[in-house]
Amino acid sequence: MTTPMIQLSGVRKSFGSVEIIQGVDIAVEDGEFTVFVGPSGCGKSTLLRMIAGLESIDSGDLVLNGKRINDVPPDQRGIAMVFQSYALYPHMTVAQNIGFSLDLKKVPKAEIAREVGRVSELLQLSELLDRRPAELSGGQRQRVAIGRAIIKRPRVILFDEPLSNLDAALRVQMRAELQKLHQELRPTIVYVTHDQVEAMTMATRIVVLNKGRVEQWDTPIELYNNPINTFVAGFIGSPRMNLVPGTIIGDAASQSFKANAGWTTRLDNRSLAGAVGQLVTLGMRPEHIQPATDNVDLEATIAIVERLGAETYLNARNGDDTLLVRAQGDLALAPGSTVKLALNHGAFHLFDQSGRVITG
Amino acid sequence: MAGISEKRSGAYTFLAYVTLIVISIFCILPFIWMALASIDSNAQLFLKWPDSVTFDHYTKVFAEENGVRWFANSLFTVLSATFIVMVVAGLGGYALSRSKAWWKQPFLYAILLIRVLPSTALLVPLYKILLTANNGIGTLLRPLVGEHYRSVMQLFGFIDGYLGLIIVLATGQLPLALWIMKVFFDGVPKDYEEAAILDGATLVQRIRRVLIPLALPGLAAAGLFAFMSAWGDFLLPLILLSSPELQTLPIGLFRAFLRVNEIDYGLLAALATIYLIPAVIAFSFARRFLVQTFSGGVKG
Ligand SMILES: Nc1ncnc2c1ncn2[C@@H]1O[C@H](COP(=O)(O)OP(=O)(O)O)[C@@H](O)[C@H]1O
Ligand SMILES: [Mg+2]
């Protein structure tokens, strides 16, 4: 196994008496696109800034390419960063912004111009080199910020919510451009976002953070298919996974799930004999609940219908349980009417009372 | 409905313009009198068209009076004080903005108090302090400079010397300038500095290439207020300077007003016009920085 590009071992950080990063262990391989995702305030930015060297590390090791860099100054780590605010110097032109780090290193003017030319061509900024940041659109500023980061050919580029200031359409476009850039230059990227869609679409691997801890760390599809706890289950996937509280009932031979709202459903292909009587949470992705006429598991009253054409989202109620259904095709169902629902028993996720997944 | 509100807004606009015009005339009249009187061969206390246009008053300021010297004294002391204010307020404002020290707020309000207290009330203790300092620096310098003692003390003395006036002028302007710079730096995100750190800028490079350019509008505003206010200061030079060759322009103007039995309004108007010019230049110069927008680097 090769040495990872970035390795964090037992990394901790407190602000005052509050421990914001509570022991993080992860490794980022060379050329990987790793995304830190988690709710606002969970410590993503802090962790990223610790890698950059903008925040000190209280304890634990930060290893870059085999070398412990806890105490190496930020500019000597070979790491570049794109800020959420872009932080383009307003008094400099686009070319000066991009070339600033080379200018500081006293690189000859001709070489700076050449490098700025290379980067601006890559990012389609060649026409804008003489403008100031104030004269650029949001997407253009974003690209200048990326240009400033990549001109030094860093081994690692850190992004802190770089798309959060853009409108939805531009965000989709920049997402594609970032992926293209990653494929062309193959830098190691650590990318922070609170938007799980961004994480799912771009990441090689996702680190799900919550309250300063790593909840789960894996490829996007693995996180989607096998969340290890209710937090990850609820956080990854859009629309969210349905999480229904209930109890396991039955005997040694066969078991069922009984929702607190009253309805029950079989639990197939599982050996849950020991868990009978246990309080659990049943997780079901919206696409695993479908309106049906055969094999009906429960009936529910439709509260909201969202017809998107190719898909229809239903918000259906059974007692206290609200189930989000993602049905294929266009369904002309009226709110207030009753719908019969069939569940995909093979795609159930069961979580114990502490929220951890139950395998078996 | 629309008609009524239009009529009303029309009347309001008319009233607003009339009010503004009246205020403008009221404000501008003294300047018109001054400009006209300064080129009037027979200037009077009241506003009138010049009998005949002459530049004798201006020639007189420079030829017969010590106008050049007063002007140079004013410019030197006020510019020095402004420079000190800009450097100290720039560094101090930055520190006050970024610091999380507990004494930050008390300190900020305490220095504002300096500004609020009338300086006249503090004059006696201030004079006493400066006198002590003056004696101190005098004993220090006398053995060093020997026969040049008097001219050296005119530069470095605290009483009847440039240094004392400059320091006191700067001190008076510092509270406001510190506030301006503190508030200004509050609006400059830390991201710029952190981006510069990652770009590999040293502390000095960060200050020179990032912070100072970013702070320029604020520094210009702080410097402008310091210059205008110190330029208009009359009491401090009157109290602190006694040698005729150290007099500043407002003191010269004041003495010229007192000295002759018959008041020469033309000469006074010419002096006042000259006194006005640097302030006007300072304003138009600093206005460029104030208007210049620095938005767009960090998303607002
Ligand atoms: N410089 C700081 N001083 C004190 N608390 C901080 C500081 N920076 C961040 N925090 C706190 O640390 C927590 C995590 O912040 P952050 O890493 O920015 O979260 P995220 O980027 O995931 O939204 C927040 O509760 C925030 O208030
Ligand atoms: Mg953040």
Side-chain angles (χ1 to χ4, degrees):
Chain A
M1 197 174 150
T2 56
T3 42
M5 181 54 86
I6 306 169
Q7 177 135 32
L8 292 103
S9 324
V11 165
R12 288 171 182 276
K13 170 89 188 169
S14 301
F15 287 118
S17 60
V18 190
E19 191 163 54
I20 299 296
I21 302 296
Q22 307 178 355
V24 167
D25 302 275
I26 45 172
V28 178
E29 301 297 332
D30 189 10
E32 233 182 22
F33 196 129
T34 294
V35 175
F36 292 174
V37 70
S40 191
C42 71
K44 307 179 295 288
S45 297
T46 305
L47 198 56
L48 196 74
R49 292 164 55 79
M50 287 159 85
I51 297 173
L54 296 172
E55 298 286 358
S56 62
I57 297 171
D58 288 355
S59 68
D61 293 320
L62 169 60
V63 177
L64 183 79
N65 212 8
K67 188 172 156 250
R68 187 176 185 273
I69 57 160
N70 285 43
D71 304 313
V72 175
D75 59 302
Q76 285 160 34
R77 296 185 176 192
I79 291 177
M81 181 161 169
V82 175
F83 291 81
Q84 181 169 10
S85 63
Y86 313 147
L88 302 179
Y89 311 118
H91 56 287
M92 296 184 198
T93 64
V94 168
Q96 287 166 334
N97 263 288
I98 295 176
F100 188 55
S101 59
L102 299 183
D103 193 22
L104 290 171
K105 280 202 296 185
K106 305 264 185 306
V107 172
K109 290 268 180 290
E111 199 182 325
I112 297 179
R114 200 167 58 239
E115 287 295 294
V116 169
R118 170 182 71 87
V119 168
S120 58
E121 204 154 305
L122 188 71
L123 296 165
Q124 290 145 36
L125 289 167
S126 306
E127 312 287 305
L128 309 171
L129 287 178
D130 294 326
R131 298 227 195 137
R132 281 178 202 272
E135 301 161 321
L136 301 178
S137 71
Q140 290 167 339
R141 281 179 211 175
Q142 172 69 77
R143 288 210 290 270
V144 176
I146 294 172
R148 189 172 62 177
I150 65 177
I151 192 158
K152 279 208 291 188
R153 301 172 195 262
R155 285 177 295 181
V156 177
I157 309 177
L158 310 176
F159 289 88
D160 191 353
E161 311 224 6
L163 307 185
S164 57
N165 291 331
L166 304 178
D167 61 45
L170 205 52
R171 216 176 300 167
V172 175
Q173 186 196 331
M174 284 307 297
R175 230 154 60 191
E177 284 187 29
L178 274 175
Q179 281 173 285
K180 189 164 142 266
L181 194 77
H182 181 238
Q183 273 149 24
E184 280 171 25
L185 303 179
R186 283 279 151 207
T188 306
I189 290 181
V190 181
Y191 185 106
V192 160
T193 180
H194 65 268
D195 179 354
Q196 59 88 27
V197 177
E198 262 174 44
M200 291 295 287
T201 49
M202 293 195 289
T204 323
R205 280 203 280 181
I206 296 178
V207 179
V208 182
L209 288 167
N210 186 30
K211 296 182 183 147
R213 280 182 217 280
V214 176
E215 295 279 357
Q216 193 172 356
W217 166 43
D218 219 319
T219 59
I221 206 66
E222 193 60 26
L223 289 184
Y224 189 82
N225 289 333
N226 297 308
I228 64 163
N229 57 35
T230 45
F231 179 83
V232 178
F235 197 82
I236 298 291
S238 172
R240 284 165 56 97
M241 183 187 279
N242 293 291
L243 293 169
V244 183
T247 320
I248 295 181
I249 56 168
D251 50 35
S254 77
Q255 299 86 35
S256 296
F257 170 83
K258 183 171 193 291
N260 291 351
W263 55 275
T264 60
T265 184
R266 290 169 292 112
L267 296 170
D268 295 348
N269 310 325
R270 287 171 184 259
S271 47
L272 294 162
V276 171
Q278 196 180 326
L279 294 175
V280 293
T281 302
L282 174 64
M284 292 171 290
R285 298 264 176 222
E287 62 268 31
H288 296 141
I289 310 176
Q290 294 293 323
T293 46
D294 306 328
N295 298 322
V296 172
D297 286 281
L298 72 154
E299 285 190 1
T301 311
I302 296 175
I304 302 167
V305 182
E306 291 178 31
R307 294 168 66 180
L308 303 178
E311 290 176 330
T312 308
Y313 291 167
L314 305 176
N315 210 316
R317 298 229 167 94
N318 180 310
D320 287 341
D321 292 338
T322 300
L323 295 177
L324 188 63
V325 179
R326 181 181 193 170
Q328 288 302 314
D330 182 34
L331 298 181
L333 294 167
S337 63
T338 304
V339 64
K340 291 179 171 133
L341 298 173
L343 310 177
N344 181 346
H345 296 252
F348 281 177
H349 303 269
L350 276 178
F351 303 96
D352 66 18
Q353 260 187 299
S354 68
R356 255 191 312 258
V357 73
I358 302 173
T359 51
Chain B
M1 277 306 285
I4 292 173
S5 75
E6 243 165 60
K7 247 185 232 163
R8 278 186 57 160
S9 81
Y12 278 132
T13 312
F14 178 73
L15 254 175
Y17 273 108
V18 169
T19 316
L20 285 176
I21 287 167
V22 169
I23 293 173
S24 304
I25 290 173
F26 186 75
C27 289
I28 210 165
L29 265 181
F31 294 99
I32 294 176
W33 175 82
M34 201 181 69
L36 290 178
S38 75
I39 50 168
D40 189 345
S41 58
N42 179 27
Q44 297 300 320
L45 189 50
F46 49 83
L47 181 63
K48 73 179 195 32
W49 199 251
D51 291 357
S52 64
V53 173
T54 170
F55 288 99
D56 283 356
H57 302 309
Y58 286 97
T59 331
K60 211 166 146 196
V61 168
F62 292 112
E64 289 174 32
E65 304 287 344
N66 218 344
V68 178
R69 186 71 205 236
W70 296 340
F71 189 80
N73 285 341
S74 271
L75 212 56
F76 174 68
T77 51
V78 172
L79 279 180
S80 305
T82 305
F83 179 74
I84 293 173
V85 167
M86 285 169 80
V87 171
V88 176
L91 297 171
Y94 176 77
L96 284 168
S97 168
R98 297 296 190 250
S99 163
K100 291 195 180 88
W102 63 268
W103 47 262
K104 183 165 123 176
Q105 290 301 328
F107 177 80
L108 278 167
Y109 287 103
I111 59 170
L112 211 55
L113 204 63
I114 301 178
R115 181 90 190 172
V116 174
L117 296 176
S119 58
T120 325
L122 299 174
L123 219 52
V124 174
L126 181 67
Y127 195 88
K128 178 70 190 153
I129 291 168
L130 287 172
L131 200 60
T132 315
N134 197 50
N135 292 341
I137 200 164
T139 23
L140 205 74
L141 286 179
R142 192 186 289 275
L144 291 176
V145 297
E147 72 212 77
H148 306 296
Y149 181 68
R150 219 185 102 74
S151 49
V152 167
M153 281 308 275
Q154 285 196 340
L155 273 177
F156 295 106
F158 285 96
I159 298 286
D160 201 26
Y162 284 132
L163 186 63
L165 180 62
I166 289 170
I167 287 178
V168 175
L169 278 177
T171 311
Q173 303 311 320
L174 250 180
L176 181 65
L178 268 172
W179 267 87
I180 291 176
M181 291 316 294
K182 186 258 174 197
V183 171
F184 188 86
F185 277 119
D186 283 350
V188 175
K190 241 176 102 186
D191 288 9
Y192 290 126
E193 292 156 69
E194 295 185 335
I197 290 176
L198 286 170
D199 276 343
T202 61
L203 179 67
V204 174
Q205 285 174 321
R206 288 205 296 280
I207 293 176
R208 240 173 44 83
R209 313 245 346 229
V210 177
L211 278 174
I212 290 181
L214 286 175
L216 221 49
L219 280 174
L224 164 78
F225 285 120
F227 182 89
M228 309 267 274
S229 179
W231 185 257
D233 200 273
F234 171 73
L235 193 63
L236 285 172
L238 180 72
I239 302 297
L240 295 181
L241 304 175
S242 47
S243 308
E245 61 270 35
L246 295 186
Q247 295 309 310
T248 60
L249 207 50
I251 310 299
L253 185 62
F254 174 63
R255 296 252 154 88
F257 185 69
L258 288 187
R259 193 173 13 154
V260 272
N261 321 352
E262 198 189 341
I263 297 171
D264 184 347
Y265 287 109
L267 176 72
L268 287 178
L271 255 175
T273 307
I274 293 165
Y275 184 39
L276 217 91
I277 289 168
V280 172
I281 291 175
F283 180 76
S284 57
F285 186 72
R287 205 180 63 102
R288 285 210 338 242
F289 291 100
L290 292 175
V291 171
Q292 197 170 337
T293 52
F294 267 77
S295 63
V298 159
K299 176 245 167 200

